[in-house]
Amino acid sequence: MFCFPLSANLLEDYWKAVQNTKEKFEISDHSPKRFSFRLGGEIPGILHKESLNHEVFWFCQKYLDKYHTNYPYPRFKEDIRSHLTDLYGDPAQNFLSGKLSFSCFSGWKEGSSLLKLSFFLNEEEFFPYRWDYYDSKGQLFLTEEDETKNGKKDSFTYYSQSGCPKEITKDKNDFGAMDEWWYFKNCQLVRVEYDSNENGFRERICHYENGKESYCEGVGEKEEREAIELESHQKFTEALKAYRKSLKEYKKEVSNGTSRTCSLLKKIANIEYNERDFVSFTKTLDEFFSYRACESDSLDVLIYKSYYYLYVIGDYKTAKDSYQKTAEIYRKTHGEISPEILMNLAYSQFMDKDPNSCLASLEKLNSRRLTAYPRFFLFYYRGSCEMSLGRYEDAYTNLKRAQILGGEREFLPVVYYKLGRASFATNREQEGNLWTHQALLYDFDLMEQMDSDPFFERFFESPNGKTHKRKYYLNKQKKQ
C-alpha cells in the first residue's frame, strides 16, 4: 500500500464512516473521529490513502476478533504484510473509483479455515452483507448473503468439492422461510423452483440450458409466453393484454408481491412507456412501488420513472426525489456509485432551484473516473450550480473546463452564454465579449435573456453588441 496524499474531502467521508461503524459495533480505539489535526490553528488539507487503508485493516481485525472468535486473525508482522498485499489490496483507491464496499479476511494458518466478510456503505456506516466460508484446504463451501441489505441473511449458496455451486436457497419475500430453490449440475444452473406464498406448492418451476432460462411451468406462464411472442413481433397492444392476463392469473395464486409480480409489472411498464401511454404507465409504476419485494428489482423502472418526470413532463421536484431513490438503490445493489444517475440527479436538483444539493451530488463523482463526454456534463452542471449561488470565479473555472472538453453542438451556445456571464461577473471583459459573441452566433434567441441581464449591459453598449441587438430585433419584426 503506497502513501499518496489526496484532498481530504475525497476520503474523509469514508474515514468518518469507518469510525461510525466502530461505534455501531462497539469497537473502540484511539483513532480520531474526524481526520483533522490542528497545527497552529490550521487543519491540513490532505489525507493519505495509507491512513485509511490502515483503518480498514484494523477495523476488520477487531471486528473478527469480537464477532467471529472461532477464526484467528493475523498478529505477527509477516502475516499482516502478507494479508495487506495478497488479500486487502488498496481499499482507499477502490473508494475513489466509486466502489463503496470492502472485504475483511480472517487469519490464515496451516490447517485453519478462512472467513471473507464483505461490508457495504449504507448512508454513513458500513454494514456486513456477505460471508464466504473456506475450509482448511482453501475451498469455498458456503456463502451467506444479505441480498436485500436489510440486516437479514436471505441467500445461502452451497458448493461442491469442485468449487461449483450445487444449490442455493433464498428467502425472497422476507417472511423468514425459504421460498426459492436453485439447483445446479456441473456448475450450470438447471432449475429454479418457487413457492412464493409458502403454502408447500411450487407454483412456478423454471428450467435452464447453458445458464439461460429455456422455459417455465406454472401459474400464468402460458399467457406470459404468448405475450413475449407477440412483443417479439412488435404487436405491442396484444402483448400488453397478454402480460396483464398473466399477472391477473398469478395474483390469484400469489397475492403478496413477489419478484415475478415485479417482473411482469416491469414488462407492462416498458411497453406503456415506449407506446407513450403515460397515464397507464404512471398507474403501473404506483402498483410496482406498492410492493416491498419490488425495491431490489426497481432500478430499471426507477430510471424510466425519473427520466419521464425530468425530461418528458418537467416535474423537477418529483424527478429529484425519484433520482435520489434511484441513486440509493443502485449504490445498495451494485456497491458503487452510478455517474449517469448522479449526473441526472444533479441536473434535476439544479432545475428544481436547489444548487447546494446539486453540488453535493457532483462532489461524489471523481472526474478522473469519467470519460470526456460525462466529464463535460460534470463541469457544466457544477459551473451552472455555482453560478446560481453567485460563486462566479468557481463557475468560470468549471464552465471553461466544459468548453475545452466540448459537448454536443446543442449545448455549446448555453456554455458560451454562461461563460460570458461569468466573465463579466469576474471583470474579464475581453473574454466576456468573445464568449457572448460566440453564443449569439450559435443561437441568436439567447439575445432576450442577455438583454434583460445587467451583466451584459456593457456588451450591448459596445459597437459589436449594438450590431447584434439591432439585427435581432429587425429580424424579429420581419417574422412578426
Side-chain angles (χ1 to χ4, degrees):
M1 294 190 182
F2 300 102
C3 182
F4 292 118
L6 295 151
S7 296
N9 59 0
L10 287 174
L11 288 179
E12 189 177 347
D13 285 345
Y14 302 119
W15 176 276
K16 288 189 286 187
V18 173
Q19 308 312 318
N20 292 341
T21 308
K22 289 178 185 176
E23 289 184 10
K24 171 76 177 176
F25 294 106
E26 298 180 343
I27 294 171
S28 59
D29 61 17
H30 298 294
S31 296
K33 175 77 173 173
R34 296 174 62 89
F35 197 86
S36 304
F37 301 101
R38 295 187 176 275
L39 299 173
E42 297 294 327
I43 301 176
I46 59 172
L47 166 63
H48 290 278
K49 287 189 347 182
E50 185 184 53
S51 302
L52 181 55
N53 289 339
H54 178 275
E55 279 299 292
V56 169
F57 175 77
W58 283 111
F59 162 76
C60 286
Q61 306 319 304
K62 290 167 185 175
Y63 183 91
L64 289 165
D65 185 41
K66 182 169 184 176
Y67 293 100
H68 295 276
T69 54
N70 53 327
Y71 287 91
Y73 63 91
R75 300 170 186 271
F76 300 109
K77 189 180 293 186
E78 187 176 330
D79 293 333
I80 290 172
R81 282 178 179 167
S82 173
H83 261 58
L84 288 172
T85 304
D86 299 335
L87 298 177
Y88 281 83
D90 190 349
Q93 185 58 48
N94 289 337
F95 294 150
L96 291 174
S97 299
K99 187 176 176 64
L100 305 180
S101 61
F102 64 85
S103 295
C104 297
F105 300 85
S106 68
W108 182 260
K109 290 184 179 179
E110 191 69 32
S112 71
S113 53
L114 175 72
L115 170 63
K116 176 185 176 183
L117 175 55
S118 301
F119 285 78
F120 78 101
L121 182 62
N122 185 13
E123 300 301 334
E124 297 180 348
E125 299 169 343
F126 287 97
F127 286 83
Y129 74 98
R130 180 179 172 118
W131 297 255
D132 291 307
Y133 299 92
Y134 297 80
D135 62 22
S136 58
K137 296 178 182 178
Q139 180 66 56
L140 178 63
F141 67 88
L142 171 64
T143 295
E144 300 173 334
E145 194 165 0
D146 175 7
E147 287 189 337
T148 56
K149 296 184 174 66
N150 66 354
K152 299 178 183 178
K153 295 178 182 178
D154 50 29
S155 177
F156 304 85
T157 304
Y158 303 89
Y159 299 88
S160 64
Q161 290 184 345
S162 62
C164 295
K166 60 182 180 181
E167 182 182 349
I168 302 176
T169 60
K170 296 176 183 279
D171 174 19
K172 295 292 285 188
N173 60 20
D174 199 26
F175 288 173
M178 297 301 109
D179 48 62
E180 286 188 18
W181 295 262
W182 299 40
Y183 299 100
F184 296 78
K185 185 176 181 180
N186 299 325
C187 298
Q188 292 284 334
L189 179 63
V190 294
R191 190 172 76 258
V192 180
E193 300 179 359
Y194 303 86
D195 178 15
S196 296
N197 57 5
E198 299 180 9
N199 65 353
F201 169 67
R202 309 287 168 97
E203 77 278 342
R204 189 176 188 228
I205 300 175
C206 290
H207 301 269
Y208 290 75
E209 291 181 9
N210 299 319
K212 293 183 178 180
E213 186 181 296
S214 57
Y215 70 97
C216 295
E217 307 166 283
V219 180
E221 289 298 334
K222 176 176 172 289
E223 293 81 4
E224 186 175 0
R225 283 196 296 273
E226 181 186 345
I228 292 169
E229 180 69 19
L230 288 165
E231 191 175 6
S232 69
H233 290 92
Q234 299 186 356
K235 296 180 179 180
F236 299 116
T237 303
E238 295 91 334
L240 200 53
K241 289 178 182 176
Y243 276 129
R244 286 175 176 154
K245 188 176 180 183
S246 173
L247 178 62
K248 185 178 179 181
E249 291 298 314
Y250 181 71
K251 286 165 73 174
K252 286 179 186 176
E253 174 66 27
V254 185
S255 57
N256 57 294
T258 70
S259 58
R260 184 160 183 236
T261 314
C262 305
S263 174
L264 288 168
L265 285 169
K266 277 175 66 174
K267 291 175 179 180
I268 291 169
N270 183 50
I271 294 177
E272 291 170 339
Y273 182 86
N274 289 328
E275 292 297 292
R276 317 289 289 180
D277 183 0
F278 293 125
V279 173
S280 298
F281 172 71
T282 51
K283 289 179 180 176
T284 303
L285 289 185
D286 288 341
E287 183 178 358
F288 181 92
F289 289 111
S290 72
Y291 295 115
R292 185 177 61 176
C294 293
E295 181 173 308
S296 61
D297 197 33
S298 63
L299 267 177
D300 293 343
V301 179
L302 272 169
I303 289 169
Y304 276 133
K305 178 185 177 183
S306 306
Y307 185 92
Y308 167 66
Y309 281 106
L310 180 58
Y311 296 107
V312 178
I313 66 173
D315 183 345
Y316 303 122
K317 179 170 178 51
T318 304
K320 179 176 72 171
D321 295 340
S322 184
Y323 270 117
Q324 184 72 54
K325 188 171 184 180
T326 307
E328 290 169 3
I329 290 176
Y330 187 95
R331 183 170 56 90
K332 265 191 174 184
T333 305
H334 296 281
E336 61 182 359
I337 289 169
S338 165
E340 181 181 359
I341 292 171
L342 267 187
M343 214 83 79
N344 279 300
L345 171 60
Y347 177 61
S348 63
Q349 290 164 333
F350 171 66
M351 295 301 290
D352 193 45
K353 297 182 173 34
D354 187 3
N356 284 310
S357 295
C358 166
L359 291 173
S361 295
L362 296 174
E363 188 65 30
K364 297 174 184 176
L365 291 172
N366 180 2
S367 63
R368 290 172 294 178
R369 187 188 175 212
L370 305 177
T371 58
Y373 184 71
R375 199 155 64 240
F376 163 82
F377 286 103
L378 170 63
F379 294 131
Y380 171 65
Y381 292 154
R382 186 181 285 169
S384 299
C385 292
E386 287 165 340
M387 185 174 288
S388 296
L389 293 167
R391 292 163 48 180
Y392 297 111
E393 194 67 51
D394 293 334
Y396 178 86
T397 300
N398 283 303
L399 290 167
K400 189 73 167 65
R401 288 169 175 167
Q403 183 269 328
I404 291 169
L405 284 164
E408 293 180 14
R409 185 180 176 86
E410 63 183 290
F411 292 105
L412 290 179
V414 182
V415 173
Y416 292 146
Y417 157 67
K418 291 185 177 182
L419 267 171
R421 195 168 189 274
S423 297
F424 289 129
T426 54
N427 299 314
R428 294 177 169 92
E429 189 145 343
Q430 188 174 353
E431 290 182 52
N433 290 330
L434 174 64
W435 296 126
T436 306
H437 177 71
Q438 288 286 96
L440 291 170
L441 287 178
Y442 274 92
D443 186 357
F444 219 11
D445 288 334
L446 288 169
M447 175 67 73
E448 291 198 26
Q449 273 180 275
M450 295 177 179
D451 197 15
S452 60
D453 188 332
F455 280 118
F456 291 92
E457 189 174 329
R458 285 172 292 177
F459 173 77
F460 289 118
E461 289 173 354
S462 69
N464 186 27
K466 288 177 181 177
T467 302
H468 276 298
K469 196 171 181 179
R470 186 167 56 251
K471 278 183 182 178
Y472 174 76
Y473 285 109
L474 282 173
N475 286 337
K476 189 175 180 181
Q477 285 177 355
K478 286 179 184 177
K479 287 177 184 178
Q480 290 173 343

